[in-house]
Amino acid sequence: MKTNRSRRFLTLLTALLALSMFAAACGGSESATGTATSECGTDNAVVKGDKVTDLSVAVVAPSDSQDLAFTQSMIDSLTRLGIEPQVTDGTFQVEVAADAIRGYAEDGINVIIVHGTQYGGSLAEIAPDFPETSFIWGTATSTQGIANIFAYYPEAQQGGYVNGWIASELTGGGAIGVVGPVEAGDAVAYINGFKAGAEANGVSNVAVTYTGSFSDVALATEAAEALVTVGVEALTGTSQSAVGAVNVADENGIPWFGTQSNQEAWSTDQVVASQVYHWEVILDDMFEMIEEGTLGGEAMSLTLENGGLLVEINGCFNLDSDIESGAQDIIKKIIAGDINPPA
Amino acid sequence: MSELMPLLEMRNITKRFPGVLANDNVSFDVLPGEVHTLLGENGAGKSTLMKILFGLYLPDEGEILLRGAPTQISSPISAIEQRVGMVHQHFMLVPTLTVAENVALGLSSNRGIRTDLDTVSKRIMDISEHYGLAVDPGVEIWKMSVGERQRVEIIKALYRDAELLVLDEPTAVLTPQEVDDLFVILRKMTSQGTGIVFISHKLHEVLELSDRITVLRNGRVSGATTPAETNRQQLAEMMVGREVKLAPDKPALDRGKVRLQLNNVHVLGDRDTMAVNGVDLAVHAGEIVGIAGISGNGQRELAETIAGLRPAEAGSSVSIDGVDISRANPAQTRRAGLSYVAEERMKDGAVGEFDISENLLLINHGEKRFIRGGLFNFDAIKQHCQRLVENFNVKTPSLSTPISSLSGGNIQKVIMARELDSDPKVVLAAQPTRGVDIGAAEYIHSQLIEQRTRGCAILMISEDLDEILGLADRIAVMFEGQVVTIIDRPEATKEQLGLAMTGAL
Amino acid sequence: MSEFFTLSVLIATFASAVRLAVPYLLAALGETIGQRSGVLNLGVDGVMLLSAFGAYYTVIETGSHLLGVGVGLLIGLFMGVVYAVVTVHLHAKQGISGIGIFLFGLGFSDLLSQELVGAIQPIKKLPSLAKLPFVGGIFEPLEDIKYIGELLFSHNLMTYVAFALVPIVTWMMNRTTFGLNIKAVGENPQAADSLGVSVERTRFFAILIGNTLAGLAGATLSLQLGVFQQNLTNGLGFIAVALVYFGAWRAKWVMAGAMLYGLVTATRLQWQARDIIPNSASDLAAMTPALITILALVLLAKRVRGPAALTKPFTRH
């Protein structure tokens, strides 16, 4: 037990070290816990790590594996753990997802990652039928009291606060726009944190629009267009539909702040920073517990402190180094508990 | 020589459908300038023969010659191209389109891809003037009465210069004057060399119009004759294959109290004009009042109003046994004691996809006797339906046969069985025997007379004057939304009624 | 609230409404033609997705929007042939066939996207008139006219195509022989058949046109957004089908519906951006466009019965 934990800690440390070295070596900029800066002109391909477990893993997720948002954050995290899961993606219809979950369980898959809050109801029906299978479900703060369910949750307000603070530095108090999807889950946490970070630094107008859809790109696009007419000087947004808003930011030369995955590919010029979910940090723990026979019963969260949340700064944006170090100070304060971003 | 060459010869036509021999070695020909009547009950094979002529079916055996030359008629288009025209019994009209659009359908336009409705309308006006067929080319079909629609059908064929015209039951919906007018038109056409195939049940018309008569029964020619050599009785028996009673027996009755009372009834029509314009009428127990009139003079709207399907204007009063139903919905009118036999039986009277049991239960499936423990009691339902089907002599393979696969007469019998079984106080019957064959019509008439004897008040709307004269105790004539005259049956003559129907009395 | 009612904001809202409405308009016009001929196509959304991806991928590979639109159109045409053969010639049930096309389009467009493109990458959006190659110069002064320019001349070419199609479709339905035939086979195919109008051919071409417009709608959607992702349409094709019903099968009412939907959506996004609608009411706000559009069309559009032979396969008997 103890050795395992320390081994994990070592792995994590090595990963972080490697990341920061990579960032430092390539970008030449300062780096500390919670941030990384990419070198402009290189792609951010996720490097496959060493395989941490022999458990068979499947993922059921609502959007595309390559959405540069919610679903991709999970797939990338598993890649970093050297795992090639079986994937059923794009199951925005809950019934389809439920079929897939049950199918994987019947096939004897050891661990099924149920990547969507909305699948919780179906999961509560399925999980008790397969007591030998471990279900990892999120984003959720509770395991619904079922023994073979792990829950996971990103403290998305933390990175949101950092993004919001950077944005406010860029606008110097000018208005900022947020394109939100549905008022639920990590989207709300991120947006609330972002708002708080910006407002703490003198921005009075953070205009938030919830489009009502995670996937409607046209709505996200027009929501961003509407925010542009309000005169926002920075934009952020979450969900896979955010790509529409990034396009608008790109066209209008407005800085963009991403979340869930690194969104530099959507706009090399305008993406300033992305809060990236590194699920591997908690997945690794969960896999170990599963190998030891604990199939669930615990909820874990991603934080800046445990390295599950990483604010990745776009090297191509040439963010002022003062702002970057300011952001690192904010991160330190959050980790230290001096700042408590509201979720 | 050319005068003797038949316009059409159908030789030894045989057509089989699964389980049915629809035409069995039928031969039939039409000379230029003659009316050759094809007579037969529903299902005798007339329609099949004519569908073969019009290219809708291909014969299994036999050949068709037009103007002496063997030909293939593989589709309606080739029939039209060979100047064969057809006025179908079930109108081949598009209700949402105008007269001109219906006529123009399938024709090539002088204006390229654009329609040329002005030219078409102009020619329609010419034709309708020439033959006395009053229609407005710009009116949509759905706003027209059945009679008007038929005129459009005839115009459609005339417009296409038909040399051989098939008319399937064309007089079923016309008034005597209209029939006379139609016969004038048809004679005008024959005088110009057009050959006409005339299909009708109305024996006196057949005798009046035809040059020759061919009778079909069970897919075979059962007789060929001319009007000079035969009479109604003989023709009827050739059709049915047994003895038939053409005039219904009606016992003398003293009429009772007023059951259906109409006072100052005003009803808006589809074109937002006053279709029924102040009708006062009382129908007593034990009498049949017939409403005669040219279609489109408010009869349909009046019937729909009484049945609760069309709202009456303020100030109108309709009551059954003193209970006001002028604002009632169909369910309420039924509760007040009304039974309604609708004019368009497949639209308002029956549900085509439903089977016979379901159609028999349409109005009373909620009754206690058919329900057991919240579910249908299928034994009781079957018993009930079996009884009705037997009592009303419905010819059907089973109770679960879809009603749409029955003949018109049998469909009407199912509807009558359903409507009359509830011992109604008032029966409203609109065109009860239209398109129904002689045997079934005879039966339906006897059922209405039985209801009359029972003390029911019967209001019968019919465009068939023979039916009205045969059944009614009093005859109300409608013209332009009003009852222009009410005549006791003994005093009524066809001529007098005909004049009243055109507003001339 | 007052800042919303300034000319520039109203114009921006209108422009946003137009962008939102155009894919609906194109798809619904196509569906109108198909339904008037008696064929319901629930596969619009699937056809749109395939065309949306086809157009997007073509632009990635060639950089040409024109080619992209062309590919979208051809995909629509091809799917039209498939659907027409299945429903008209093979007499398959229209409802389930359409759902089949939808599911195929949904799945296959996603598969192609993952195989051929991988991670989502934005492309250049459809240019406005003034930025068109060769002829753009003509429109440049027009687009520069204050307010009017943005209101009328700032849109992409497909927008003008879509709105121009409204009178064209109306004209086709009411003034051409083909339109007459379409209406006839949609109302009473037996009657049309008895006059030598080929029901099968008429429906075939009506479906072809309908699907081609669905293809254009899909291409316009992805090129206007500058991106393709799984289920990009988000049920847009189904709303287009609903617009046809609520627009009473008339091109102008269908346009009114599409525009109303766009306007209400654009307005609610503006009001949310300006906090006129608070975030607490965002769920309600998300529902309003569909509700208002349906309600308005139900109240305003002349109530007309649908084509009598809609969804009924035709066989001679």
Side-chain angles (χ1 to χ4, degrees), chain A residues 62-64 67 69-71 92 115-119 139 179-188 191 210-220 237-244 260 266 277, chain C residues 120 229-232 234 268 283 286:
Chain A
S63 55
D64 200 287
D67 64 355
F70 184 65
T71 301
F92 53 93
H115 195 48
T117 315
Q118 65 268 39
Y119 305 146
T139 59
V179 180
V182 177
E183 204 172 357
D186 62 328
V188 180
I191 290 168
Y210 285 101
T211 65
S213 168
F214 287 105
S215 53
D216 196 324
V217 181
L219 269 187
T238 172
S239 89
Q240 67 268 27
S241 69
V243 62
Q260 295 178 329
W266 283 348
Y277 294 169
Chain C
I120 295 161
Q229 63 170 231
Q230 184 217 29
N231 193 25
L232 181 77
N234 230 346
R268 76 114 168 152
D283 289 344

Side-chain angles (χ1 to χ4, degrees), chain C residues 22-59:
Chain C
V22 163
Y24 288 97
L25 179 55
L26 284 166
L29 283 177
E31 180 73 9
T32 302
I33 296 169
Q35 288 200 12
R36 285 306 284 274
S37 81
V39 183
L40 170 73
N41 181 7
L42 290 178
V44 181
D45 210 55
V47 175
M48 285 182 68
L49 282 166
L50 289 171
S51 294
F53 174 75
Y56 167 77
Y57 186 61
T58 305
V59 173

Side-chain angles (χ1 to χ4, degrees), chain A residues 167 170-177 227-228 230-235 253-257:
Chain A
L170 290 179
T171 69
I176 300 173
L227 289 165
V228 169
V230 175
V232 298
E233 292 166 38
L235 276 165
I254 295 173
W256 172 266
F257 292 84

